[in-house]
Amino acid sequence: MAGVVEATGVAERTLKRRFKATTGSTIIAYARNLRVEEAKRRLETTDEPSDEIAVAVGYENPVFFRRLFKRYSGLTPG
């Protein structure tokens, strides 16, 4: 978040408010959705295990990734 604030030159609170007004989503929820979509793509197109995919899309904790994946997609990564 700090890098985005620095790059845009907009205050963090203002950036968060404008992002939500424009997209209807928080920055964190948007980023999580992008990661889950990338994980879905990898699960469908590769033979990588879900734990490796979790790390590849930015989640160190596979248990957290599985919970998050199920919340966003309605399915488990398996």
Side-chain angles (χ1 to χ4, degrees):
M1 191 64 182
V4 175
V5 169
E6 187 177 321
T8 60
V10 177
E12 184 174 344
R13 184 173 179 204
T14 301
L15 179 63
K16 287 178 178 179
R17 190 178 64 247
R18 287 181 182 173
F19 190 91
K20 182 150 185 159
T22 302
T23 65
S25 177
T26 65
I27 293 172
I28 291 174
Y30 186 82
R32 284 181 178 165
N33 189 51
L34 288 176
R35 288 176 169 179
V36 168
E37 289 301 319
E38 175 62 15
K40 281 186 202 176
R41 187 191 65 73
R42 285 174 175 245
L43 285 166
E44 291 172 347
T45 61
T46 70
D47 291 332
E48 292 177 85
S50 63
D51 289 355
E52 285 182 23
I53 291 173
V55 171
V57 297
Y59 292 104
E60 298 293 321
N61 183 336
V63 174
F64 177 74
F65 168 73
R66 285 191 291 272
R67 259 188 288 145
L68 190 70
F69 188 93
K70 185 167 184 172
R71 185 182 322 147
Y72 276 78
S73 70
L75 302 168
T76 63

